[in-house]
Amino acid sequence: QVHLAESGGGSVQAGGSLRLSCVVSGYGSSGSGCVVWFRQIPGKEEREGVAGIYTGQDSEFYADSVKGRFAISRDKAKKTVYLQMNALNAEDTATYYCALGWSMYGGRCLMGQHDFGYWGQGTQVTVSS
């Protein structure tokens, strides 16, 4: 059974950094898929896909809102996907989720929330200005 578990959230001052971790278990190591980090702002139903990685090639994808500030990476041995977040600002405050899916188009992971069936429980990130 696939299970995802996030950690690493917390409170940080604007301009600071955090690194989130997502351990993916119960998923065949020989398979390839898309692990995407989403975030959800309180009061909003939609989750925004901010960074994704295709495990077959370790290719990375970013939303424009985080490009140049966030970096996604993977440790295959630890079955962990990381999200390094730098230059954080108040607009980055949200609950961050990792999700696993297999939907791709044009060699890119799709990053809509409805393309993913496996989710972690989320970790809160609060950025104070």
Side-chain angles (χ1 to χ4, degrees), residues 48-94:
E48 175 193 14
V50 296
I53 188 166
Y54 172 54
T55 63
Q57 298 174 339
D58 280 341
S59 44
E60 304 167 16
F61 314 100
Y62 297 95
D64 289 342
S65 57
V66 305
K67 202 170 292 183
R69 299 188 299 124
F70 289 12
I72 192 169
S73 61
R74 181 174 77 109
D75 186 324
K76 184 177 180 180
K78 294 182 179 180
K79 298 185 178 181
T80 301
V81 174
Y82 302 99
L83 183 66
Q84 178 67 42
M85 306 187 295
N86 300 322
L88 287 162
N89 57 60
E91 287 69 41
D92 296 316
T93 294

Side-chain angles (χ1 to χ4, degrees), residues 102-125:
W102 289 268
S103 297
M104 300 187 73
Y105 182 78
R108 296 176 58 87
C109 293
L110 295 178
M111 289 172 55
Q113 67 179 92
H114 301 293
D115 296 306
F116 292 82
Y118 297 99
W119 294 83
Q121 80 288 350
T123 185
Q124 177 67 36
V125 171

Side-chain angles (χ1 to χ4, degrees), residues 15-37:
S17 300
L18 282 174
R19 189 177 79 157
L20 307 183
S21 300
C22 172
V23 178
V24 184
S25 59
Y27 170 54
S29 59
S30 61
S32 299
C34 297
V35 179
V36 173
W37 283 97

